[in-house]
Amino acid sequence: MQKEPLLKMKGICKKFGSVQALNNVDFELYDNEILGLVGDNGAGKTTLIKIVSGAYSPDEGKIFLRGEQVNILDPRSAKTLGIETVYQDLALADKLNIAENIFLGKERLKNFLGTPIRILDKKRMEAETLPTLRKLKIDIESPRAKVATLSGGQRQATAIAKSIFWKARIIIMDEPTAALGVAETMKVRQITLDLKKEGASVILISHNLEDIFSVVDRVIILRGGRRVGDRLVKQTTRDEIVKLMITGERAIQ
Amino acid sequence: MSKNSQNTAKQKEEKKVVFLLRHTVETYGLLAGFVVLCVFLSIASPYFLTLSNIFNVGRQIAVTAIIAFGMTFVITAAQIDLSVGSVVALTGVITAALVTRAGFPVWIWLPLVLLTGITIGLMHGFFVAKQKIPAFLLTLATMGVLRGIGFIYTRGHPIYIGSRGFRAIGRGFIGPVPIPIIIMVIIWLICYFILTQSKIGKYITVVGESQRVARLSGINVDRVLIFVFVIEGVLTAISGIIMASRLGTGSPQVALGLELNVIAAVILGGTSLFGGEGRMFGTLLGAMVIGTLVNGMTLLNISPYVQMVVRGLVILGAVWVNMARYRVKR
Ligand SMILES: Nc1ncnc2c1ncn2[C@@H]1O[C@H](COP(=O)(O)OP(=O)(O)O)[C@@H](O)[C@H]1O
Ligand SMILES: [Mg+2]
């Protein structure tokens, strides 16, 4: 039916002690789509995306990128494959400023006074941060503002900026709107759509069906560590999705 | 609505003033304290401001400060190293053995002693990063082990070092300035540069704030942890050499309790006890305050027992101020 998925996972299993967080889960993400990943608390959503982002390794299962099998050993190798993640708690360094956070792990360097010694090029990193912040229409005074001083929406935007700065092909967002107010939620939805416009694919975890129905193309439903459904948003209803999340069965037509 | 936003603007303004005040006190408070201490001591004791005393204090401060620069990296990375006093003793003994007993020239003994420091640092880093042993317990154990090795090798007797060239390291001058002070200043410059300008300096800070954030950002946390312990190992070995040279012996008994002065200097200097924020200039000042305080008490004939109490109280005060400062910000 469809062309080859951009990202495909087959038979993913992950156990934490006696808890079977993921049980033989298949997953596919297509080019330039926004995929919603939904499920009740503890369904295994975060665990699944952490396997994609290299934070966990699966007990069993295979991962394919454009049809080629890959090993995602750690967050660094995920980044090299063009996979960036905005974590549920954002994973920002509070004591660093916005520019430092965006470039964390990928600093721009320059030569110190013409010697071969490489040092941080702070000016350049701050200058390069500005256009990204503008593109996200983030209301922030300066790239030198410490993250600890930002509002929830600004922090969210910084975390998103950190991931999109690097032109990732796959961007994962774990409950990006959970802690935000109405206006900030709208902004994150807009950013998600903008990311798609620029050619990226997005995996969006959300409890908020409003998020799902306003931006998502396709939705995968997890329940108790199993995949219980896969729907095009255009061809489904809220009731059906809620029913799948709770009982794992299709709504009675 | 508009009244509301006015209010927050005013609050912001007030916050800014408080912040600036705090910042000033944090930055210059210790400096002011140091000046006051010096003025007081120069009035209280006629010897304090003599050149020979200043040089003497400077040499003592150098030994503590050089280790404290390394400790600043360690504490910024939310780690600790209690073994430094023992490493000073052990590297002093090894230096004495290589210089006197083996009669090696400098280009052999110096790399060997530095290598000892690196090896100790690698070992600490390995156990902390790869075996997940808390640095506090690990270095508490090696504190005993390393000094013990020094005692076993020497059977408790100091090794006398006759070499004049070697003694010059601790006692000599370049121009009018004692060599240990010059070494200290050079190392400070390098450490300050690493902490504020380099990639590894940034990574140390982030690892100290949150290992998880560092890891998710693609930083090799283990490597950063090993790096801080190796720097500390090398710098402690350098201090061990200076100490042995100043004393003219390598003795397993020296530098008992030195870790307290070193940690006090770092904490006093404003590096966060919780990690994630390092102050290299503060550490230099902190080491100067501690060194001057100890010297002043000796000049004023204060008994060693009272000195112990005062030193302990200074450390307590420093920890208290440090906790208050960084807890509010959390
Ligand atoms: N690091 C972990 N250690 C132990 N159990 C975990 C861990 N992470 C997740 N789990 C368990 O795995 C299950 C799935 O969790 P999670 O993926 O966080 O669900 P979701 O994000 O869908 O709410 C839960 O039962 C949770 O308690
Ligand atoms: Mg979750």
Side-chain angles (χ1 to χ4, degrees):
Chain A
M1 166 190 111
Q2 277 258 26
K3 49 196 169 353
E4 173 137 61
L6 171 60
L7 172 75
K8 187 168 127 181
M9 296 199 277
K10 266 205 96 53
I12 300 290
C13 297
K14 179 77 185 174
K15 254 188 169 176
F16 295 107
S18 63
V19 179
Q20 185 86 41
L22 292 174
N23 194 347
N24 200 20
V25 172
D26 292 346
F27 178 95
E28 56 287 318
L29 172 72
Y30 293 96
D31 255 325
N32 202 218
E33 80 168 340
I34 302 179
L35 173 74
L37 188 58
V38 300
D40 207 356
N41 262 332
K45 307 179 295 288
T46 298
T47 307
L48 186 63
I49 61 106
K50 278 189 172 171
I51 287 172
V52 182
S53 67
Y56 295 154
S57 55
D59 300 337
E60 274 172 61
K62 287 177 180 160
I63 306 175
F64 303 87
L65 207 64
R66 290 199 191 288
E68 250 177 69
Q69 191 174 349
V70 290
N71 274 323
I72 304 177
L73 302 168
D74 52 20
R76 182 176 283 273
S77 59
K79 282 165 196 287
T80 334
L81 294 170
I83 302 169
E84 289 280 347
T85 310
V86 181
Y87 289 92
Q88 206 160 355
D89 69 349
L90 305 185
L92 295 170
D94 278 357
K95 289 172 182 171
L96 301 187
N97 67 36
I98 296 173
E100 288 171 320
N101 266 285
I102 287 180
F103 282 88
L104 191 56
K106 296 170 175 167
E107 286 74 8
R108 298 262 191 251
L109 302 175
K110 65 177 179 191
N111 285 7
F112 172 63
L113 299 177
T115 62
I117 300 169
R118 303 287 282 166
I119 63 168
L120 299 171
D121 193 344
K122 296 178 186 176
K123 284 233 176 68
R124 185 169 159 213
M125 290 191 271
E126 283 159 18
E128 287 185 18
T129 299
L130 276 174
T132 310
L133 294 183
R134 287 215 192 93
K135 202 165 74 190
L136 294 177
K137 300 181 193 73
I138 303 170
D139 177 26
I140 286 171
E141 281 174 37
S142 139
R144 255 182 279 172
K146 284 240 161 37
V147 164
T149 66
L150 302 180
S151 75
Q154 290 172 325
R155 292 165 61 88
Q156 186 74 46
T158 304
I160 295 173
K162 181 179 175 181
S163 65
I164 66 167
F165 191 88
W166 303 101
K167 310 242 182 307
R169 285 179 302 161
I170 300 176
I171 295 160
I172 303 168
M173 297 201 238
D174 194 355
E175 310 244 3
T177 61
L180 300 185
V182 178
E184 289 175 331
T185 299
M186 300 302 276
K187 188 158 257 172
V188 168
R189 284 185 197 152
Q190 189 53 51
I191 291 171
T192 313
L193 291 170
D194 289 347
L195 290 176
K196 182 185 168 187
K197 216 177 287 167
E198 289 189 15
S201 295
V202 180
I203 303 173
L204 180 71
I205 299 185
S206 184
H207 263 114
N208 185 341
L209 287 186
E210 201 63 51
D211 284 344
I212 302 295
F213 281 86
S214 59
V215 300
V216 164
D217 301 312
R218 193 166 61 90
V219 59
I220 287 181
I221 304 107
L222 293 181
R223 181 171 173 275
R226 287 173 185 278
R227 166 169 162 168
V228 293
D230 173 8
R231 297 284 184 278
L232 288 174
V233 165
K234 276 188 235 151
Q235 297 169 5
T236 184
T237 62
R238 276 160 215 246
D239 283 349
E240 187 186 21
I241 289 186
V242 170
K243 188 93 192 215
L244 281 166
M245 281 166 60
I246 294 169
T247 68
E249 285 157 19
R250 288 175 58 176
I252 302 145
Q253 309 279 321
Chain B
M1 180 71 201
S2 78
K3 197 183 163 200
N4 207 343
S5 66
Q6 257 178 13
N7 263 347
T8 52
K10 203 173 156 198
Q11 275 171 359
K12 246 188 187 168
E13 202 56 36
E14 273 168 18
K15 252 190 185 167
K16 232 176 205 170
V17 172
V18 171
F19 177 80
L20 271 179
L21 260 176
R22 278 184 68 142
H23 191 74
T24 315
V25 171
E26 282 169 3
T27 314
Y28 300 106
L30 190 60
L31 191 60
F34 179 65
V35 171
V36 169
L37 182 64
C38 287
V39 169
F40 169 76
L41 287 176
S42 54
I43 295 168
S45 161
Y47 299 108
F48 179 71
L49 273 189
T50 59
L51 209 55
S52 76
N53 185 56
I54 291 174
F55 283 169
N56 186 32
V57 182
R59 286 192 198 95
Q60 283 170 12
I61 289 173
V63 168
T64 313
I66 290 170
I67 303 171
F69 301 151
M71 191 68 85
T72 304
F73 290 118
V74 172
I75 294 181
T76 301
Q79 304 297 321
I80 193 77
D81 185 353
L82 300 178
S83 74
V84 291
S86 300
V87 176
V88 165
L90 179 61
T91 51
V93 165
I94 291 175
T95 306
L98 294 176
V99 173
T100 300
R101 293 204 176 153
F104 284 146
V106 61
W107 52 270
I108 296 183
W109 67 256
L110 183 59
L112 285 177
V113 175
L114 295 183
L115 201 64
T116 309
I118 292 174
T119 309
I120 292 169
L122 278 175
M123 176 189 69
H124 284 153
F126 170 78
F127 279 110
V128 168
K130 304 287 186 190
Q131 303 299 314
K132 312 287 177 223
I133 295 183
F136 182 87
L137 295 172
L138 172 73
T139 56
L140 191 63
T142 56
M143 178 163 115
V145 171
L146 295 171
R147 192 181 288 276
I149 293 173
F151 270 106
I152 293 170
Y153 177 71
T154 59
R155 298 202 186 84
H157 304 301
I159 304 173
Y160 176 77
I161 308 173
S163 161
R164 288 180 133 230
F166 179 76
R167 288 181 164 217
I169 298 168
R171 301 179 189 186
F173 293 81
I174 292 179
V177 190
I179 291 173
I181 296 181
I182 291 174
I183 297 176
M184 172 186 81
V185 170
I186 292 172
I187 292 177
W188 179 79
L189 280 172
I190 295 172
C191 289
Y192 182 84
F193 188 81
I194 292 177
L195 185 63
T196 61
Q197 302 301 321
S198 78
K199 198 160 88 167
I200 185 77
K202 179 116 296 155
Y203 289 180
I204 290 170
T205 310
V206 177
V207 165
E209 182 182 335
S210 162
Q211 291 196 8
R212 189 178 148 262
V213 169
R215 202 165 276 126
L216 293 179
S217 301
I219 294 170
N220 188 334
V221 173
D222 292 357
R223 208 187 294 168
V224 172
L225 290 175
I226 292 170
F227 180 84
V228 296
F229 283 106
V230 168
I231 286 206
E232 178 66 326
V234 173
L235 294 184
T236 309
I238 290 174
S239 273
I241 294 168
I242 294 174
M243 181 84 122
S245 166
R246 229 180 62 212
L247 299 174
T249 59
S251 161
Q253 313 203 25
V254 298
L256 266 172
L258 181 67
E259 63 282 350
L260 282 185
N261 285 355
V262 168
I263 294 168
V266 176
I267 300 303
L268 208 55
T271 293
S272 170
L273 266 171
F274 304 105
E277 225 158 319
R279 299 263 184 282
M280 206 50 87
F281 181 64
T283 297
L284 179 61
L285 268 181
M288 283 161 67
V289 168
I290 297 275
T292 309
L293 189 72
V294 171
N295 173 257
M297 289 193 294
T298 311
L299 287 182
L300 297 180
N301 268 328
I302 294 174
S303 93
Y305 307 132
V306 177
Q307 286 195 26
M308 267 170 73
V309 173
V310 172
R311 205 178 57 166
L313 288 178
V314 168
I315 293 174
L316 182 61
V319 168
W320 192 25
V321 171
N322 196 287
M323 301 264 298
R325 173 172 169 182
Y326 287 105
R327 200 162 30 203
V328 176
K329 284 186 187 168
R330 297 200 122 201

